[in-house]
Every structure is written in C-alpha cells, then in structure tokens.
Amino acid sequence: MTQGPLTTEAGAPVADNQNSETAGIGGPVLVQDQLLLEKLAHFNRERIPERVVHARGAGAYGTFTVTADVTRYTRAKFLSEVGKETETFLRFSTVAGNLGAPDAVRDPRGFAVKFYTEEGNYDLVGNNTPVFFIRDAIKFPDFIHTQKRDPYTGSQEADNVFDFWGLSPESTHQVTWLFGDRGIPASYRHMDGFGSHTYQWTNEAGEAFWVKYHFKTDQGIKNLTAEEAEILAGKDPDSHQRDLREAIERGEYPSWTVSVQVMPVAEAATYRFNPFDLTKVWPHADYPLIEFGKLELNRNPENIFAEVEQSIFSPAHFVPGIGPSPDKMLQGRLFAYGDAHRYRVGINADHLPVNRPHATEARTHSRDGHLYDGRHRGAKNYEPNSFGGPFQTDRPLWQPVAVSGVTGETVTPVHAEDNDFVQAGNLYRLMSEDEKERLVKNLANAVSGVTRDDIAERAINNFRQADEDFGKRLEAAVRELRG
C-alpha cells in the first residue's frame, strides 16, 4: 500500500478518524457519518463461515522440484523433466477444532498442497496419516458430528466418539494411528504428509497406473506426549502456526521428500485387499516408494485471512495425466470440497490471488456472481462460438475406468484378505514396548470418559480383534481408570 492520506473505501480522504460526527458537542451520532458506518459495517463482515472441518490452519508458499523421471507413469507437464520447479501453496490444519482452537491437540492434520502448474492448478488434499476412519463418504457427516460439539451439551462427548468408532470397525486402523505417538505432531514441520487416497496417473501412451503419494519430512519426525501437548496448548494455542512462520522467517525452510507408490491398473482387481479402501495402506514390500520430488516451503503469506482462510483446495482440481480412482471417499470429496468453498468463500473464490492459476490463465465461460471482477470484458460467454473463444481439447485428463453391473447402494468390493482389523494389528505389533504403553494409556484415558459400559466394551473389542494383547491391555487400563 502506498503512503498518503487515509481514505474511505471509495478513495475519499478522511479528515478525522478519531471522533464520530455528532449533533452538537456531546450529542447523538449522525447517520450521515459515512466513515463510521462504513467501518462498522465492514468490521461486522470481516469473517466468513469457518470450515466445518479443518477450520484451524496455517499455510506457506514454496517450490516443488522434480528429482527423478516419472514420465513412464504420467504425462503431467509439471512432472515432465528432472529439475523442473513449480510454485506451491501448502495449508496445514487440524480437523475437529474450531478456528480459535489450539494447535497442540490429538487430531489428524490436514496436508493440502496446491501446485500452480502451467496446465492449471493441481490440488492434492491429504492428511498426515496414510489412512482414514471410514471408507465411504456417505458416513462422513455422521463421523464428523461425533467429533464436533454435541448439539445438546455444546461439548465434544466421549460417548459420541467411541459409540461411532465402536460401531464402525473400519476405523480401528486410523484410531490406532491417532492415539499412538504420531497423534500429536510437535510441529507442522516435523510430520509426514500423505495423499491418503488412491489416484490415477496416465502416461503419454495412455497407459494408466494407480498411485499413492507420500511426503516424508526432511526435518525428522517429532511428536508431543499427551502431557506435553496439554501444557503447550494452554501456554501457546498458536504453537504450530507460530513455529512454521518463524522458521521461514529465519530462513530455515522446511522440506519434504516426495515419493509415490505405483500399482499397474491390471493388478487392482486381484490384489489381496481392495486397493481403493482408504482405511488401508499398501505395504511397501508390495509397492515400494519411488522418490520423484522435493517440496520446500520458503515464503510466508502476507495476510492470513486472504491467503490461508480464503484459500480453497479441491481434489477435483486435476491436470492432464492425473485423475481420480473408484475410492468411494475420494468420489464424495470430489463434490464436497468444491461445494464447501462455493458456499463459504463464494462462487468466484477461484479468482482470489491465492487460488487462481499462477503459471497459466483460467479461460472459462462462467460469468457474474458475488465478487465477479469483470475479467472477461466483452468476450462471448458460450461454447462453441466463432469469435475466438476458448475451445475443448478433445483429450481427457485421465483414462476411463471400466465398470459393470447394476446401479444401487453397494458395499465396497471384498478382496481375498479384506479385513478391518489386520492392518491395525500389524501397526500395533510394529511398535516398541514404550510406544505400546503410551498408545494404551492414551486410548484408556479417552475410553474411560464414556458413560455407558456397552460403548466402552464395544470400542475395546475392536482393538482386541486387531491384536489380543492390545485389547487385553486396553481393557485392564480402562477398568482401572473406571474403577
């Protein structure tokens, strides 16, 4: 902003910004004081609806650099050659907390990356865990309702949380992650990120692959114990946001090594479990990590509201060579994320500087609506047209997926080794004895807060099915706490 006299929103100079205009000295304020009315009206509208989930967040700009050739798997131009750089924006967040909630809490962390590519923006919307609580988006509103404030008590209720988890055994794997050591990262810089869902990559020849993304922190994994987090959340609710901003200000730019797991499309149908099930990981022994990039954050936003709060991400924002999979959670998110932003920020949210393409130009026939900026001037707003308007390419961004059968509400296809508990048990057995003790303690403290014995027992039984020792130790710990 240039220096000079303070003005109104319309640009008129302000003579007095300290005193309201009144009818005589000490008299009532006049409605003709338009500066006063303008300031108060704008102040009342400084907030937009917060995100229902992932409301509490922080973000930064950075650079993604290709470090290995992956053109045999995808024709995406931003991945076309080693050394190629693409500007990015990354938003971190917690899931359940409101906008003013503390950062240091036990909660999954959002890990949403916007790549400003020359073919349009590509959004990869993931978490700091490779799995999730449910596998079908139709259960997502119900799940989130259990994590948010109860409509009667106004508080998060352990009964709601563990009633849902106990009745949804597919959540056992993610709950084991959440209550383990990685449930409370020490900072956004010291945690991994995952695309979590399965996506499609398509190469220049039209050959398709299923892929999963991994972002491994170069700062090393650091976590907080429940006791450390409780103290930090009370002392500094902004701990993670502050840590990220100050690290970048110091020139200590955080970075992540980016890898992908690749599954040939033909192997999906007969793989031992459903590869599109968001509650499961692909074992690295089956599909090893292929490193292909480096992501570095090196610039802080100038205004949190404009660039973090109003930033929008949608998994439906694909570029040529990258597309969706039949993952039922992903399919629901393809609609829900864009719809949330159209409601929360507005129909022209994509026009905002943080959201619009940086390496190319958006060419659409959409016009008007709230905050439309008139960018199209006198251009025609329909297609096809004979006035030189934008036209279709006739080349799909991704390859079609073969389907068969009849329509209807269907369960996820069952593969030979599909099971809701196996991977949770495998995760438990990978932990050291100290890690197991902390996991059981964290879970017991949470489960002991329920008011009904049947809810507690049902929740415990899921972990018992994952691993007998896990369930036995958890049952004993909850019994001791509940007396």
Side-chain angles (χ1 to χ4, degrees):
M1 182 183 296
T2 59
Q3 290 187 337
L6 179 68
T7 74
T8 65
E9 296 290 345
V14 172
D16 187 345
N17 194 45
Q18 317 306 318
N19 303 288
S20 300
E21 193 174 343
T22 61
I25 299 175
V29 172
L30 298 178
V31 73
Q32 73 180 36
D33 189 344
Q34 288 302 297
L35 176 64
L36 171 67
L37 300 187
E38 179 182 89
K39 289 179 68 175
L40 294 180
H42 191 283
F43 180 77
N44 286 344
R45 294 162 175 79
E46 283 183 359
R47 299 294 177 266
I48 59 177
E50 69 173 43
R51 291 167 167 88
V52 177
V53 289
H54 297 278
R56 173 68 175 175
Y61 295 92
T63 304
F64 172 78
T65 305
V66 179
T67 58
D69 184 6
V70 288
T71 55
R72 63 173 293 193
Y73 303 117
T74 179
R75 64 184 176 95
K77 284 187 178 179
F78 80 103
L79 301 177
S80 62
E81 57 182 291
V82 174
K84 189 163 188 174
E85 296 184 350
T86 299
E87 183 189 2
T88 62
F89 183 77
L90 173 54
R91 185 178 186 270
F92 304 96
S93 57
T94 52
V95 175
N98 298 106
L99 190 58
D103 291 334
V105 294
R106 187 174 301 282
D107 203 6
R109 301 300 193 273
F111 195 98
V113 188
K114 185 181 296 294
F115 298 86
Y116 300 101
T117 90
E118 66 266 50
E119 297 179 294
N121 290 349
Y122 172 45
D123 290 350
L124 182 59
V125 185
N127 284 324
N128 72 323
T129 60
V131 293
F132 197 61
F133 300 92
I134 51 178
R135 62 172 67 97
D136 193 317
I138 201 167
K139 297 181 70 171
F140 188 74
D142 300 291
F143 163 61
I144 293 301
H145 285 165
T146 73
Q147 305 299 301
K148 304 292 278 189
R149 299 178 185 276
D150 182 271
Y152 173 69
T153 68
S155 302
Q156 188 184 55
E157 298 295 335
D159 281 2
N160 302 355
V161 172
F162 284 98
D163 189 37
F164 181 87
W165 284 345
L167 293 167
S168 305
E170 70 267 30
S171 68
T172 307
H173 191 189
Q174 171 73 318
V175 176
T176 303
W177 268 86
L178 180 60
F179 284 85
D181 283 356
R182 297 196 183 191
I184 315 179
S187 81
Y188 291 133
R189 298 181 296 127
H190 293 93
M191 69 180 196
D192 291 341
F194 300 88
S196 301
H197 295 288
T198 300
Y199 294 93
Q200 187 198 86
W201 274 8
T202 306
N203 64 20
E204 195 64 45
E207 186 179 10
F209 304 86
W210 301 124
V211 301
K212 281 184 177 288
Y213 295 97
H214 298 252
F215 295 74
K216 296 296 184 182
T217 175
D218 296 326
Q219 291 69 239
I221 294 289
K222 290 185 181 179
N223 304 299
L224 299 172
T225 65
E227 294 77 15
E228 291 170 336
E230 185 175 3
I231 294 171
L232 181 58
K235 284 185 174 181
D236 184 7
D238 303 322
S239 57
H240 290 39
Q241 178 175 295
R242 187 189 316 280
D243 174 86
L244 177 65
R245 185 188 72 249
E246 292 181 349
I248 294 174
E249 288 174 346
R250 293 192 303 268
E252 297 176 12
Y253 301 143
S255 64
W256 287 260
T257 297
V258 188
S259 300
V260 68
Q261 290 177 282
V262 178
M263 174 188 291
V265 163
E267 296 182 12
T270 57
Y271 188 52
R272 52 200 175 97
F273 58 83
N274 181 3
F276 310 116
D277 183 346
L278 185 55
T279 69
K280 294 182 175 65
V281 299
W282 297 355
H284 292 185
D286 293 348
Y287 299 100
L289 294 182
I290 300 172
E291 182 181 327
F292 71 97
K294 182 76 71 174
L295 174 64
E296 178 188 86
L297 299 181
N298 48 38
R299 180 165 67 89
N300 284 316
E302 296 292 329
N303 182 278
I304 297 298
F305 177 81
E307 299 166 86
V308 179
E309 183 65 9
Q310 290 195 130
S311 64
I312 64 171
F313 299 83
S314 172
H317 290 169
F318 292 112
V319 293
I322 303 178
S325 78
D327 178 338
K328 294 179 79 173
M329 269 299 297
L330 173 60
Q331 291 287 319
R333 282 174 165 158
L334 295 178
F335 160 76
Y337 277 62
D339 184 62
H341 302 318
R342 285 186 285 271
Y343 156 72
R344 196 180 64 86
V345 186
I347 194 63
N348 287 306
D350 287 299
H351 291 197
L352 296 172
V354 68
N355 299 322
R356 66 190 180 208
H358 289 190
T360 187
E361 176 189 6
R363 293 179 292 275
T364 75
H365 293 295
S366 299
R367 297 291 191 277
D368 308 336
H370 185 59
L371 294 182
Y372 176 63
D373 60 7
R375 63 180 56 191
H376 298 89
R377 296 185 173 88
K380 302 299 183 183
N381 64 340
Y382 58 89
E383 193 279 333
N385 72 56
S386 61
F387 292 86
F391 50 87
Q392 67 187 40
T393 67
D394 295 321
R395 187 180 189 187
L397 273 62
W398 58 82
Q399 290 298 100
V401 177
V403 297
S404 63
V406 298
T407 61
E409 292 80 11
T410 58
V411 298
T412 302
V414 177
H415 290 229
E417 295 183 23
D418 273 337
N419 182 290
D420 287 329
F421 306 108
V422 168
Q423 292 200 354
N426 291 341
L427 178 59
Y428 176 78
R429 289 183 287 273
L430 283 173
M431 296 179 181
S432 67
E433 184 59 30
D434 287 346
E435 289 174 319
K436 290 178 180 178
E437 288 182 3
R438 289 190 292 270
L439 168 64
V440 170
K441 179 182 178 181
N442 293 334
L443 264 173
N445 285 335
V447 175
S448 65
V450 305
T451 61
R452 284 170 39 189
D453 290 342
D454 64 311
I455 293 178
E457 173 53 32
R458 192 162 48 237
I460 294 169
N461 189 54
N462 283 346
F463 300 105
R464 185 183 294 117
Q465 293 188 72
D467 184 275
E468 185 177 353
D469 176 68
F470 189 2
K472 181 179 180 181
R473 292 167 67 165
L474 179 58
E475 181 180 25
V478 171
R479 186 186 305 117
E480 181 178 353
L481 288 170
R482 289 170 66 88

